[in-house]
Amino acid sequence: MENSLMQQYERLTGFLGSALGPDYEIVLYDLHRIVALVNGEISGRSVGDPMPKSLMDVMDSKRDSIDGQVLNHRVLAANGRNLRCSDLYLRDAGGETVGVLSINFDDNRFKELSEAVFRLCHPDSYADQNISVEIRGCRNQEIFSGDLSETTDEIFRRVVKGKNVAPDRLNYDEKLEIVRQLYAKGVFELRGAVQAVEKRLGCSQATIYRYITTVKEEREN
């Protein structure tokens, strides 16, 4: 990407980040890595991190030349957040793809706001037992990290509240809660997820599947 063109897109990245606010991560990629980033804490990434494999696959297959954009697809960040993402493939004067501009929306704050609204009209005990606002993943969901264990590790830290706890010291309820959160985020729809969770929790695959069955039964009831 020519320097002048790069500078213009970097300016646009900063502008969009300022205009849209803290719930939007704006990412500018060249053909290999992140070159400009606003609100990177949303996905936990930094300038210099590699381009996601899904974007590189689109460019390698030349699918980016069809309409130049992909709108409103779901992505799982390595920190466990489900994001709604849109990608614009950037082209030079000759029509060659030179980078990607991505806008990633994090609606987790609005989930918390929705739950707070319900608690205004219901007792807390009723809301705890009967009302749940979920941000779910989907079967075709992508993941920013090439390593599913990063997502598992982040949720693991949340459940054990930062304590330095080895997997074999976790009790049944703690392991079930980790699987419950991973399931809610659509992690088990992703290839290799069970194996990644098995390794992180020190359980057999059969045990992980039993946890998943328990979570499914909870949701059905």
Side-chain angles (χ1 to χ4, degrees):
M1 191 183 294
E2 297 178 359
N3 288 337
S4 60
L5 189 58
M6 168 73 79
Q7 291 169 0
Q8 291 300 315
Y9 284 132
E10 287 181 351
R11 288 186 63 207
L12 178 60
T13 299
F15 169 75
L16 289 173
S18 298
L20 295 175
D23 299 306
Y24 288 85
E25 179 187 60
I26 315 300
V27 191
L28 176 64
Y29 304 92
D30 61 13
L31 296 179
H32 305 287
R33 60 187 58 83
I34 296 174
V35 295
L37 177 68
V38 181
N39 297 328
E41 64 277 3
I42 286 178
S43 69
R45 295 178 297 166
S46 304
V47 170
D49 284 355
M51 174 183 285
K53 186 176 182 299
S54 58
L55 295 181
M56 297 187 72
D57 288 345
V58 169
M59 290 190 294
D60 289 343
S61 66
K62 304 299 182 183
R63 282 180 286 150
D64 57 303
S65 63
I66 297 174
D67 56 15
Q69 61 186 23
V70 180
L71 300 175
N72 299 323
H73 57 99
R74 300 294 285 179
V75 170
L76 179 68
N79 58 18
R81 293 184 179 183
N82 278 300
L83 308 177
R84 175 169 60 83
C85 304
S86 296
D87 307 311
L88 175 66
Y89 291 85
L90 308 172
R91 297 178 179 139
D92 61 17
E96 292 294 319
T97 298
V98 293
V100 182
L101 181 65
S102 295
I103 300 177
N104 307 321
F105 176 60
D106 176 17
D107 52 7
N108 282 273
R109 193 157 61 97
F110 298 91
K111 170 183 178 294
E112 296 170 1
L113 178 61
S114 298
E115 292 175 340
V117 169
F118 279 117
R119 290 179 185 276
L120 291 175
C121 55
H122 296 294
D124 286 348
S125 58
Y126 179 89
D128 289 339
Q129 296 178 21
N130 296 281
I131 297 173
S132 176
V133 180
E134 293 184 353
I135 301 173
R136 295 181 294 178
C138 61
R139 184 168 298 278
N140 296 321
Q141 187 169 355
E142 303 165 16
I143 185 167
F144 277 140
S145 171
D147 185 1
L148 267 172
S149 64
E150 291 182 18
T151 302
T152 309
D153 286 348
E154 174 63 23
I155 293 177
F156 176 90
R157 287 190 291 270
R158 294 180 191 178
V159 172
V160 301
K161 297 179 175 60
K163 299 176 184 176
N164 186 19
V165 181
D168 58 2
R169 298 292 300 275
L170 291 173
N171 60 36
Y172 171 85
D173 288 337
E174 289 169 329
K175 290 184 178 181
L176 178 61
E177 178 59 23
I178 290 172
V179 172
R180 186 181 289 119
Q181 291 193 31
L182 290 169
Y183 186 93
K185 293 180 180 298
V187 169
F188 293 107
E189 299 287 354
L190 302 171
R191 183 178 301 174
V194 171
Q195 291 83 350
V197 176
E198 167 199 9
K199 182 177 180 180
R200 185 63 181 87
L201 296 186
C203 300
S204 66
Q205 287 191 34
T207 299
I208 297 300
Y209 281 118
R210 283 198 293 272
Y211 285 135
I212 292 173
T213 298
T214 299
V215 171
K216 287 181 178 178
E217 290 174 349
E218 289 176 352
R219 296 166 72 90
E220 290 172 357
N221 293 331

